[in-house]
Amino acid sequence: MLHYEFPPYATNEIGKLGGTNRRELGHGALAEKALKPAIPTDFPFTIRVTSEVLESNGSSSMASACGGSLALMDAGVPVSSPVAGVAVGLISKPNPEKPSEVLDYRLLTDILGIEDYNGDMDFKLAGTVKGINALQADVKIPGLPLKIVMEAIQQATAAKREILAIMNKTISKPRANRKENGPVVETVRVPVSRRARFVGPGGYNLRKLQAQTGVTINQVDEETFSVFAPTPGAMNEAQEFISELCKDDQELQLEFGSVYTATITEIRDIGIMVKLYSNMNPVLLHNSQLDHKRIKHPSALGLEVGQQIQIKYFGRDPTDGRMRLSRKVLLSPVATLVKTLSDKHSIEMGTGNGTLT
């Protein structure tokens, strides 16, 4: 958005400072059309350029295009090319017999206010070194020959190149680094396995992150989040916070179908909490995956905290990213059945008839 402001004192006049008038809307729209094609379509920010005209004796809309281009590059907006604009005027001598015919004329480059007021045309051209982005013509005579139009375009194009050369002496391309007070947006990939911890219970971790650092986080897809920060400093704080939450995934990559030695860290009613390596967070191994027989509590198997057991890794659940572990697949069903029968029945050898109870 380009906001063009032209207060009365810019032309040494007095007047009421009110809302935007038709003149300001038209000039602002022209300058915006000149700058917009140079801005990348995938730029992630909304841009507001404010052109405050403090003094005017020429084309303030073309000055807004030139100043806006410099401001965008200084702010680090990756414009495709610098943009400049110029106004061309006309002083003509019409044919008394045919007013639509011009007997003699002079084209004036970069006209002054008096030349615009007393002249016969206000022709504005803005664009890059490669082409034209915006055109506007205010013609005050009955007709304008095509020859004059072509000459005006050529004259304005030559002047535009000169203005761009002057602008390039100050800044010729967008700054590589954003300013300290400039916003930053980055994309963060959070594996599905860490998404629950990243978001937190009821979104607690996300709210905490946004409250502490001032960033705004939006989910793009299943594993991608967009982080918007008002300053680079806030972005650095947010990245440290996110790295702390997701650091476990950077330590060890487990292999599907492999057998690991896990350490029991906690006994719960529904299963046991185990660690496959020292710096990982404990994960739940459910009772249903501890043994082939049905158990109500891990103590039925004699499991204790600190004990090491063999488990098999079956990747992560695609819905919530949790580890899928199993101990029972490593146990023989036959051996488990014999052990179960021996727990339920006792064998007595009879001395007389050799009965088996």
Side-chain angles (χ1 to χ4, degrees), residues 150-200:
M150 298 301 295
E151 288 185 17
I153 293 176
Q154 293 174 357
Q155 200 161 316
T157 301
K160 180 187 64 176
R161 291 198 189 98
E162 292 187 24
I163 296 172
L164 285 171
I166 297 171
M167 292 168 54
N168 289 339
K169 293 178 181 178
T170 302
I171 182 170
S172 59
K173 60 182 180 180
R175 296 189 184 278
N177 299 321
R178 296 278 174 82
K179 294 188 174 182
E180 294 182 358
N181 60 345
V184 184
V185 63
E186 291 188 8
T187 300
V188 177
R189 182 184 175 276
V190 179
V192 177
S193 59
R194 292 261 64 86
R195 187 173 58 192
R197 187 180 179 191
F198 175 71
V199 176

Side-chain angles (χ1 to χ4, degrees), residues 96-107:
E97 298 180 359
K98 293 183 179 181
S100 60
E101 292 184 2
V102 177
L103 297 178
D104 193 13
Y105 64 91
R106 294 293 183 272
L107 289 171

Side-chain angles (χ1 to χ4, degrees), residues 77-96:
V77 178
V79 295
S80 59
S81 181
V83 176
V86 66
V88 175
L90 172 68
I91 303 295
S92 64
K93 181 181 180 181
N95 187 344

Side-chain angles (χ1 to χ4, degrees), residues 66-270:
C66 297
S69 176
L70 293 171
L72 290 171
M73 291 189 290
D74 183 57
V77 178
V79 295
S80 59
S81 181
V83 176
V86 66
V88 175
L90 172 68
I91 303 295
S92 64
K93 181 181 180 181
N95 187 344
E97 298 180 359
K98 293 183 179 181
S100 60
E101 292 184 2
V102 177
L103 297 178
D104 193 13
Y105 64 91
R106 294 293 183 272
L107 289 171
L108 309 175
T109 302
D110 196 15
I111 54 176
L112 300 176
I114 191 65
E115 295 168 336
D116 181 11
Y117 179 77
N118 290 323
D120 298 328
M121 180 182 71
D122 180 12
F123 181 87
K124 299 175 181 178
L125 180 148
T128 66
V129 69
K130 294 182 179 180
I132 300 171
N133 292 351
L135 276 175
Q136 179 176 298
D138 179 13
V139 182
K140 309 170 188 177
I141 55 178
L144 191 64
L146 184 60
K147 176 185 176 182
I148 296 179
V149 175
M150 298 301 295
E151 288 185 17
I153 293 176
Q154 293 174 357
Q155 200 161 316
T157 301
K160 180 187 64 176
R161 291 198 189 98
E162 292 187 24
I163 296 172
L164 285 171
I166 297 171
M167 292 168 54
N168 289 339
K169 293 178 181 178
T170 302
I171 182 170
S172 59
K173 60 182 180 180
R175 296 189 184 278
N177 299 321
R178 296 278 174 82
K179 294 188 174 182
E180 294 182 358
N181 60 345
V184 184
V185 63
E186 291 188 8
T187 300
V188 177
R189 182 184 175 276
V190 179
V192 177
S193 59
R194 292 261 64 86
R195 187 173 58 192
R197 187 180 179 191
F198 175 71
V199 176
Y204 172 79
N205 288 341
L206 280 185
R207 291 197 301 271
K208 181 180 178 182
L209 171 61
Q210 294 180 103
Q212 288 184 354
T213 63
V215 303
T216 302
I217 300 179
N218 295 301
Q219 186 169 357
V220 179
D221 55 35
E222 194 175 58
E223 293 189 348
T224 307
F225 291 81
S226 175
V227 182
F228 172 86
T231 63
M235 178 61 74
N236 292 335
E237 291 182 23
Q239 288 177 335
E240 292 178 4
F241 191 100
I242 295 171
S243 298
E244 186 67 23
L245 288 177
C246 304
K247 64 181 181 180
D248 286 346
D249 287 272
Q250 303 169 2
E251 299 296 336
L252 181 64
Q253 294 295 328
L254 303 177
E255 190 173 337
F256 185 92
S258 296
V259 178
Y260 295 92
T261 300
T263 304
I264 301 176
T265 61
E266 185 183 350
I267 303 293
R268 296 184 178 180
D269 292 340
I270 60 173

